[in-house]
Amino acid sequence: MTRTLYLFCSAAPPLFDVARVVEEAQARGWDVCLGLTPSAAEWVAGGIEGLAALTGHPVRSRYRRPGEPDLWPVPDAVLFAPATFNSVNALALGITDSFVVGVAAEAMGKGTPMAVMPCVNTALDRHPQFEQSLATLHNAGVRVLYGENGFHPNPPGEDHVPDFPWQLALDAADALATPSPY
């Protein structure tokens, strides 16, 4: 049985691994629908058609217009990774001005299993709103993959995140969509 994963990405350096991550998710039995923040869509603009061919679905970065069909199947799980400081805070505060944040916020309300793996630097990690946003998401039932249980923040100014734990993110997605034996 194929499971549907909404993979949402913000504009952070691990985004450049997204094709490999989609392929790995597909090897795990996921039908992947890829959603990007507007900035992330700009970062990979030259590869959007290839990513759409890889997933078999349109890559989305904007809300559909009234009357447009929704071409994605209903998700079994949502994985938001990498999630930037802005995306984490927007999701926690319910600020849905971007497609992926809006769909993720709605998925929370529907009870769709979700994991979020932030990708921030140590300076943003120390901002007081960030900790509150992570707690808000956790308390809303979102699996937050951060710190000891996920991504460790990197120093400011690094354009490369060599150890982004994509495997952990995909493992979390698998666990979210696996029915409990109890």
Side-chain angles (χ1 to χ4, degrees), residues 132-145:
Q132 290 176 25
S133 292
L134 294 178
T136 296
L137 294 174
H138 174 76
N139 292 335
V142 174
R143 181 149 181 217
V144 177
L145 305 169

Side-chain angles (χ1 to χ4, degrees), residues 4 6 31 33 56-60 64 68-74:
T4 299
Y6 284 9
D31 177 23
C33 296
H57 301 284
V59 175
R60 295 183 59 190
R64 61 185 173 89
E68 284 184 342
D70 190 350
L71 301 176
W72 285 4
V74 174

Side-chain angles (χ1 to χ4, degrees), residues 1 19 24 31 40 52 57 77 80 84 86 89 101 104 111 131 146 162 164 173:
M1 180 172 114
E24 185 166 336
D31 177 23
H57 301 284
F80 202 145
T84 60
N86 185 59
N89 290 325
V101 173
E131 183 177 342
Y146 190 70
F164 192 76

